[in-house]
Amino acid sequence: MNKTPNAMTQTGKENACRTVIPELLDWYDRNARKLPWRQTKDPYFIWVSEIMLQQTRVETVIPYYHRFLSKLPTIQDLAQAEDETLMKLWEGLGYYSRVKNMRRAAQEICQTNGGHMPCEYDQIRKLCGIGDYTAGAIASFAFGKPFPAVDGNVMRVAARLRDDSSNILQSQTKKETTAFIRDLMPLDDAARFNQAMIELGATVCKPTGMAGGPDCEKCPFGRVCLARLNGHEFELPNRVPILKHKEEDRTVFKIWMGDKVAIQKRPDTGLLASLFEFPNASGKLDMAQAVRWLKQKGFSVIRMAEMPESKHVFTHLTWHMTAWSILVSEDTVVPEGALFVSNEELLSRYAVPKAFGAYIEQKGFSDNTQ
Ligand code: ADE
């Protein structure tokens, strides 16, 4: 994305947006879909709708919402519902843990608050299965409390309003967006404001690639939206999947035939593509397992000794390595893909990744063993 030509301070961005909040609320009153959960202030009804709306489209949710509430019209009914009833009412929505968590929370509410949803944000937030968004939605929609309800729709609107290219999947971005929305929110009209932001994201400030993407001509923020002013509305929000760091055990084999050691080429794609490595296997293999692995590959083992453990940290992966030094007989048939090379050749001709650094210096079978 190009550098933002229309650079504004954070406060400047908020002030500009704040001037059009009356237009946003007016737009909402004239254009909002008449959804059943918007016709009620019952916190239980709102709670059910918000849990159903997680990862499920509005049109799909509507019949489920009516069916669920006609069968279980109160928090007490939900608290006492049988598994079978819940499963039947939720069948087709997926993620059954959502409704089981709701029942657990309903039981907590019955035990601690006489079956009434608490009206304070902090108490709502503590209930099983209720996160920041849902707590904000219930506190504002049902009780008019000024708490933000920042879902994916609102994250998108806020990223575009500020022309902000931070990764929306990062928790820091969520925190900053929530602070921005909190500052923008009219304290005496939190419910209408939160619903308006959600509605704007769902029907006008749509994701790129969905139903034509953002429809800026219809947007009440059109005059102040920095993404639009800078021509970035189709590029935002920025969403970069966050890879979870994985930990993996590996067993490395330093296999000696006389003064030559076995190496093999890694696949042409993926981690450490096309580099050379010492044969290795997934997991932490003890001596018996290591012998079995070597036999299976066709090596005739004469002696073996354990080498020091080591670890290597890649960007998204850590290898915890156990290693064995192995002496194999000279008449071993070299398995396909492996080659035996001298130490000099290994160091001068073959690119061996740093991950194997702890084992590369070993000069012979009994060197550096335990
Ligand atoms: N998605 C999540 N919450 C919503 C709401 N209250 N109205 C419409 N869509 C939603």
Side-chain angles (χ1 to χ4, degrees):
M1 197 163 83
N2 295 333
K3 198 167 177 297
T4 302
N6 207 324
M8 257 202 212
T9 62
Q10 189 60 28
T11 320
K13 291 176 194 180
E14 275 154 25
N15 286 343
C17 293
R18 202 170 286 124
T19 60
V20 289
I21 296 301
E23 285 163 60
L24 168 75
L25 299 177
D26 184 50
W27 169 87
Y28 176 73
D29 290 344
R30 283 184 287 107
N31 295 284
R33 292 166 295 174
K34 301 277 176 285
L35 302 174
W37 44 88
R38 289 183 178 158
Q39 322 301 320
T40 179
K41 291 229 171 280
D42 186 316
Y44 171 56
F45 287 22
I46 290 164
W47 177 28
V48 170
S49 74
E50 291 300 341
I51 299 296
M52 285 184 171
L53 285 161
Q54 288 168 12
Q55 287 141 352
T56 311
R57 290 147 43 103
V58 163
E59 310 82 71
T60 308
V61 163
I62 293 173
Y64 280 92
Y65 170 85
H66 289 304
R67 202 160 55 110
F68 192 97
L69 290 173
S70 59
K71 182 92 183 157
L72 304 172
T74 67
I75 291 181
Q76 286 88 342
D77 295 320
L78 172 58
Q80 290 162 14
E82 304 281 350
D83 267 359
E84 222 172 89
T85 310
L86 287 191
M87 297 301 116
K88 204 74 207 135
L89 289 171
W90 211 262
E91 194 177 354
L93 282 175
Y95 305 101
Y96 286 98
S97 58
R98 291 187 283 171
V99 70
K100 289 195 164 175
N101 286 339
M102 267 204 332
R103 180 176 56 188
R104 183 119 68 87
Q107 290 162 350
E108 279 169 53
I109 294 171
C110 289
Q111 279 157 18
T112 60
N113 209 41
H116 299 289
M117 173 69 78
C119 62
E120 297 301 333
Y121 175 91
D122 288 342
Q123 285 171 283
I124 301 170
R125 176 68 180 79
K126 278 192 202 136
L127 293 166
C128 184
I130 296 194
D132 294 343
Y133 167 76
T134 309
I138 297 171
S140 61
F141 301 157
F143 303 111
K145 307 253 175 185
F147 287 91
V150 180
D151 70 349
N153 287 309
V154 178
M155 289 291 287
R156 182 170 58 255
V157 174
R160 286 178 177 154
L161 277 178
R162 293 170 301 153
D163 197 15
D164 180 359
S165 60
S166 315
N167 182 4
I168 58 161
L169 298 182
Q170 250 161 1
S171 57
Q172 182 60 23
T173 310
K174 179 90 187 274
K175 243 192 217 163
E176 285 165 12
T177 305
T178 303
F180 169 71
I181 295 295
R182 190 180 292 117
D183 287 344
L184 213 54
M185 167 182 291
L187 298 180
D188 58 351
D189 216 351
R192 197 153 61 115
F193 171 81
N194 281 342
Q195 290 282 19
M197 291 294 283
I198 293 169
E199 191 67 359
L200 191 70
T203 63
V204 173
C205 193
K206 290 168 289 187
T208 302
M210 194 196 98
D215 198 351
C216 302
E217 300 301 324
K218 293 191 179 149
C219 184
F221 282 118
R223 281 188 291 118
V224 295
C225 176
L226 288 181
R228 189 190 187 199
L229 293 172
N230 294 329
H232 295 157
E233 66 273 27
F234 282 89
E235 294 166 39
L236 292 173
N238 186 18
R239 172 191 287 270
V240 185
I242 295 167
L243 297 177
K244 209 170 165 281
H245 195 95
K246 283 204 303 189
E247 307 275 329
E248 202 175 290
D249 286 326
R250 290 208 81 77
T251 301
V252 175
F253 299 97
K254 204 88 200 259
I255 306 169
W256 294 94
M257 190 191 289
D259 61 357
K260 294 198 166 179
V261 69
I263 57 171
Q264 62 191 19
K265 195 168 187 213
R266 288 185 62 85
D268 294 337
T269 54
L271 183 72
L272 308 173
S274 305
L275 297 176
F276 283 84
E277 65 180 359
F278 302 120
N280 58 88
S282 176
K284 184 179 170 70
L285 305 195
D286 62 20
M287 186 178 271
Q289 292 167 321
V291 167
R292 218 172 304 135
W293 188 90
L294 288 156
K295 244 190 183 165
Q296 209 176 31
K297 297 278 168 197
F299 294 107
S300 325
V301 178
I302 300 174
R303 283 157 59 200
M304 63 192 288
E306 200 163 3
M307 296 178 77
E309 295 190 344
S310 79
K311 119 177 159 173
H312 185 79
V313 182
F314 300 96
T315 322
H316 300 301
L317 173 69
T318 297
W319 274 356
H320 296 276
M321 287 171 281
T322 305
W324 293 95
S325 179
I326 299 117
L327 186 64
V328 296
S329 76
E330 299 275 343
D331 57 12
T332 286
V333 179
V334 178
E336 202 183 314
L339 62 157
F340 279 88
V341 298
S342 69
N343 249 328
E344 293 71 44
E345 281 177 305
L346 176 67
L347 296 176
S348 60
R349 283 188 45 191
Y350 295 95
V352 179
K354 261 208 202 134
F356 297 95
Y359 306 112
I360 211 160
E361 293 298 331
Q362 191 201 27
K363 293 188 178 58
F365 162 70
S366 48
D367 190 24
N368 198 23
T369 53
Q370 292 175 337

